[in-house]
């Protein structure tokens, strides 16, 4: 698919049904009907950055900050095993208190004591730290580039650098991780043109995983008065990501489920093949407030597990077997 074709499908006035049907077919042929479940551990909401879109940006005094201990995180990992998940995704703000030096022995412990695949989603670090985290046994790393629009990136991420972020995606690959990235859709000032570029970049980077979610403005952020993204646009980008990447692992994201009660179900029908049920301790979930209206903040891990199973049954899909590693083979 070339850029003009992508732009054709990003036009909100165009009926998306043929695109969604095509993406669903590619999904079925390339990755099958199995849906991989990744247990999400939101282990710290402390962050040194001030991204304008993000509810846990540093300086937001409304956030009650927390940091799980190694023992609490091990407890979450054991919950993931008990619920039959093949992967834990360890996500946090860029918390200096859980830097690479602290994460390394924890990753080693999870990899020694369980059979889980470990995905890290912990932001920007040095090339050496990425290598060390990989050597500790982490399998995958998620680092969304958020937008390929340089101007918008600089505006929304005042203390991050566009080129440095893309350089890190190359370092992650070089370190031997399965690499995931992605974007928010419907950001203020985001153009269809730049979204088309985002999608082409998913392919150019040969991503193993691609995550897409609608932007949802938060009350205590500089973007409080911005318009939210639509589910329709997030679904179009998801479907296009499926068509251009073929066999990437693509989640039906929490943000999609938060702007529409059927958001994740719809994503699973237009390209997505992954769900990330929350396994964080319920008491801290409301504080991992990337955006308002986030689903699952009152549920326990067992409830999210039962919920996603019911969702899969309703869609005629089932849990996928195994760890859900990249289908792109050994690199
Ligand atoms: N709306 C939607 N998604 C958001 N994220 C951060 N803030 C928001 C928001 N306000 C997404 C970013 C980040 C991921 C963990 O959450 O894309 O990479
Ligand atoms: Fe958490 Fe549905 S996945 S309640």
């Amino acid at each position: 698919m070339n850029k003009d074709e992508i732009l054709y499908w990003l036009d909100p006035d165009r009926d998306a049904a043929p695109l969604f049907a095509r993406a669903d077919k590619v999904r079925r042929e390339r990755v099958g009907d199995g849906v991989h479940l990744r247990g999400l551990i939101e282990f710290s909401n402390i962050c040194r950055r001030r991204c304008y879109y993000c509810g846990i940006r540093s300086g937001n005094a409304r956030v009650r900050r927390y940091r799980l201990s190694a023992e609490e995180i091990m407890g979450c990992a054991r919950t993931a095993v008990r619920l039959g998940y093949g992967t834990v995704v360890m996500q946090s703000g860029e918390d200096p208190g859980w830097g690479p030096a602290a994460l390394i022995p924890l990753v080693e412990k999870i990899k020694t004591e369980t059979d889980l695949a470990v995905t890290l989603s912990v932001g920007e670090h040095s090339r050496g730290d990425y290598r060390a985290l990989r050597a500790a046994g982490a399998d995958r790393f998620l680092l969304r580039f958020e937008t390929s629009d340089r101007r918008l990136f600089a505006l929304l991420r005042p203390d991050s650098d566009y080129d440095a972020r893309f350089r890190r995606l190359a370092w992650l690959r070089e370190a031997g991780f399965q690499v995931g990235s992605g974007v928010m859709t419907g950001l203020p000032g985001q153009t269809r043109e730049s979204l088309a570029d985002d999608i082409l970049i998913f392919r150019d980077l040969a991503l193993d995983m691609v995550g897409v979610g609608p932007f949802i403005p938060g009350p205590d952020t500089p973007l409080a008065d911005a318009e939210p993204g639509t589910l329709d646009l997030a679904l179009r980008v998801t479907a296009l990501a499926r068509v251009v990447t073929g066999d990437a692992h693509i989640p039906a994201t929490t943000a999609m489920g938060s702007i529409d009660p059927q958001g994740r179900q719809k994503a699973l029908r237009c390209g997505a093949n992954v769900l990330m049920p929350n396994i964080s301790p319920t008491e801290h979930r409301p504080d991992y407030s990337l955006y308002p209206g986030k689903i699952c903040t009152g549920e326990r891990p067992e409830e999210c597990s039962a919920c996603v199973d019911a969702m899969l049954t309703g869609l005629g899909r089932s849990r996928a077997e195994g760890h859900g590693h990249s289908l792109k083979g050994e690199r």
Side-chain angles (χ1 to χ4, degrees):
M1 212 184 246
N2 63 32
K3 188 163 174 180
D4 284 336
E5 290 173 85
I6 292 171
L7 282 167
Y8 175 96
W9 290 115
L10 288 176
D11 181 346
D13 295 327
R14 200 91 61 192
D15 176 18
L19 169 66
F20 292 172
R22 178 170 168 190
D24 197 45
K25 180 163 184 280
V26 173
R27 189 270 307 154
R28 195 177 326 109
E29 290 172 356
R30 299 295 300 273
V31 305
D33 280 338
V35 173
H36 296 285
L37 303 187
R38 327 286 205 195
L40 177 64
I41 310 173
E42 299 159 330
F43 68 93
S44 167
N45 69 351
I46 298 170
C47 192
R48 62 190 174 104
R49 295 194 193 268
R50 294 167 298 157
C51 305
Y52 278 19
Y53 45 79
C54 185
I56 64 168
R57 61 200 300 274
S58 80
N60 182 356
R62 289 255 160 86
V63 181
R64 188 167 55 168
R65 302 287 170 173
Y66 74 90
R67 175 187 286 145
L68 299 191
S69 67
E71 224 4 89
E72 288 171 310
I73 298 170
M74 283 308 300
C76 296
R78 285 187 278 266
T79 298
V81 173
R82 181 161 49 78
L83 295 175
Y85 301 158
T87 297
V88 282
V89 178
M90 297 177 56
Q91 186 176 92
S92 68
E94 288 194 17
D95 177 1
W98 261 125
L103 280 173
I104 284 165
L106 177 61
V107 170
E108 283 172 347
K109 193 167 159 70
I110 296 174
K111 292 300 292 186
T112 311
E113 295 186 12
T114 76
D115 182 39
L116 293 164
V118 172
T119 303
L120 297 175
S121 177
V122 296
E124 297 183 22
H125 296 284
S126 72
R127 191 180 195 175
D129 284 338
Y130 285 150
R131 283 176 192 264
L133 287 164
R134 174 71 187 126
D139 301 275
R140 314 188 191 120
F141 203 105
L142 304 177
L143 188 75
R144 289 189 180 177
F145 60 82
E146 313 292 5
T147 174
S148 65
D149 180 335
R150 241 175 219 288
R151 200 201 86 257
L152 190 56
F153 185 100
L155 211 67
L156 298 183
R157 300 182 51 91
D159 33 32
S160 172
D161 179 78
Y162 182 92
D163 294 304
R165 195 143 178 110
F166 279 95
R167 209 174 305 129
R168 281 179 171 75
L169 288 169
W171 291 349
L172 289 165
R173 167 100 331 131
E174 168 201 86
F177 284 105
Q178 298 167 43
V179 179
S181 192
V183 298
M184 282 172 286
T185 58
L187 289 164
Q190 189 179 42
T191 62
R192 250 181 263 166
E193 183 84 12
S194 83
L195 274 173
D197 289 333
D198 295 352
I199 292 158
L200 290 170
I201 289 171
F202 298 159
R203 177 169 62 195
D204 293 345
L205 292 177
L207 293 175
D208 301 290
M209 298 92 79
V210 178
V212 174
F215 161 66
I216 304 170
D220 306 315
T221 69
L223 300 181
D225 297 324
E227 285 294 315
T230 63
L231 179 65
D232 176 71
L233 183 60
L235 293 177
R236 286 173 192 258
V237 174
T238 297
L240 289 164
R242 170 58 66 207
V243 172
V244 304
T245 67
D247 62 1
H249 286 310
I250 300 181
T253 56
T254 304
M256 292 172 171
S258 299
I259 53 163
D260 181 325
Q262 293 294 311
R264 289 177 299 173
Q265 290 87 330
K266 289 175 184 170
L268 288 167
R269 299 181 64 172
C270 71
N273 72 316
V274 170
L275 281 166
M276 296 169 65
N278 201 316
I279 54 171
S280 308
T282 309
E283 65 162 313
H284 294 299
R285 290 187 186 193
D287 300 322
Y288 202 79
S289 47
L290 304 181
Y291 47 81
K294 193 162 160 271
I295 53 169
C296 305
T297 53
E299 277 74 13
R300 308 210 159 266
E302 297 68 24
E303 295 176 284
C304 289
S305 175
C307 172
V308 299
D309 281 327
M311 189 187 305
L312 294 182
T313 304
L315 292 167
R317 306 271 279 278
S318 56
R319 290 190 181 205
E321 301 290 327
H323 293 100
H325 284 307
S326 173
L327 296 167
K328 296 189 186 293
E330 285 297 304
R331 287 175 184 277

